[in-house]
Amino acid sequence: MSSFAEAYTWINFRFLLEGLWVTVEVSLVSIILSFIIGSALGIVRYIRAPFISTIVGIIIDLTRNLPLLLLLFFTYFGLPKVGIRMDPLAAAISAMTVFESAMIAEIIRSGIQAVDTGQMEGARACGLTYWQALRVVVLPQALRKMIPPLVSQFISLIKDTSLATIIVLPELLYRAQIIYGQNTRYMIPMFVALAVMYFVVCYALSLVAARLEKTAG
């Protein structure tokens, strides 16, 4: 038990909190960007525009079936070979945004398709254009169906930020490794601290989502 007390000094705790902030920063930026891009891609795929929807579908399917770790390696180590250099933070955000956009695009498309087709037909019969019906009638209903899978995907994104330790991003896991790398007796205390911090962030997000789902319902 003494190792726990020694590991949780204010210096170590502050060091971990700084890493947690990096984790939250990467997660928030990636969530916002991927939701915007993923929504656009999902709608494009849903409307089945000739040629464009096919290309978007191929890109989405290709990206969804690649490991996120591979995208992180490509962004940080591969792109510099063609003259595109990023620091670890930008590389992590870029890779996660690309990966999550593909995942969210499928959630958006599936959510829209889950809305009864009669809703679109009824809206068009009332004089709305296709895009007006989609925006005013279909999307609000689809959003309620999307909230649970979107939240699950966002929670996965938060946990996946730990993969960025491989490109030396000073996030939560990376800093924990530094601490117990200096004293191996701190390994278990650091794992406990990591579990608690990840749980708090992810659980807070799930509570917010539950409130949004209840409000939307």
Side-chain angles (χ1 to χ4, degrees), residues 21-213:
W21 169 246
V22 175
T23 294
V24 171
E25 181 181 8
V26 171
S27 300
L28 282 177
V29 175
S30 299
I31 285 173
I32 294 171
L33 292 178
S34 61
F35 182 74
I36 295 172
I37 298 172
S39 296
L41 294 177
I43 292 173
V44 169
R45 193 169 189 186
Y46 167 77
I47 63 176
R48 298 178 182 175
F51 189 65
I52 297 177
S53 292
T54 301
I55 294 177
V56 169
I58 293 173
I59 294 173
I60 290 173
D61 289 337
L62 176 63
T63 306
R64 289 174 63 231
N65 289 283
L66 291 176
L68 175 55
L69 189 60
L70 176 61
L71 292 177
L72 284 167
F73 270 117
F74 175 76
T75 305
Y76 189 67
F77 297 110
L79 290 181
K81 301 298 182 181
V82 295
I84 302 175
R85 299 184 180 276
M86 301 183 191
D87 59 36
L89 181 64
I93 291 174
S94 299
M96 290 183 180
T97 297
V98 169
F99 184 78
E100 293 300 321
S101 293
M103 296 296 188
I104 291 172
E106 280 301 286
I107 294 174
I108 298 294
R109 181 185 65 84
S110 300
I112 297 175
Q113 287 183 332
V115 177
D116 190 276
T117 54
Q119 298 294 318
M120 174 63 79
E121 294 170 357
R124 295 298 304 277
C126 291
L128 296 180
T129 65
Y130 179 85
W131 289 106
Q132 287 174 332
L134 184 63
R135 177 174 57 85
V136 177
V137 178
V138 177
L139 283 177
Q141 296 182 61
L143 184 60
R144 289 196 290 269
K145 302 176 184 293
M146 296 175 199
I147 290 177
L150 281 175
V151 172
S152 296
Q153 193 60 47
F154 292 152
I155 289 175
S156 295
L157 185 153
I158 293 171
K159 293 183 288 188
D160 285 344
T161 57
S162 61
L163 294 174
T165 189
I166 202 71
I167 60 172
V168 203
L169 178 71
E171 44 75 55
L172 188 55
L173 178 60
Y174 181 82
R175 289 173 181 264
Q177 290 175 330
I178 291 177
I179 292 174
Y180 69 69
Q182 297 173 346
N183 189 331
T184 55
R185 292 189 300 116
Y186 294 169
M187 183 177 292
I188 299 301
M190 287 301 105
F191 286 162
V192 172
L194 287 174
V196 171
M197 289 182 174
Y198 278 120
F199 173 80
V200 168
V201 174
C202 294
Y203 187 64
L205 179 59
S206 67
L207 289 178
V208 172
R211 178 62 63 87
L212 288 175
E213 188 174 7

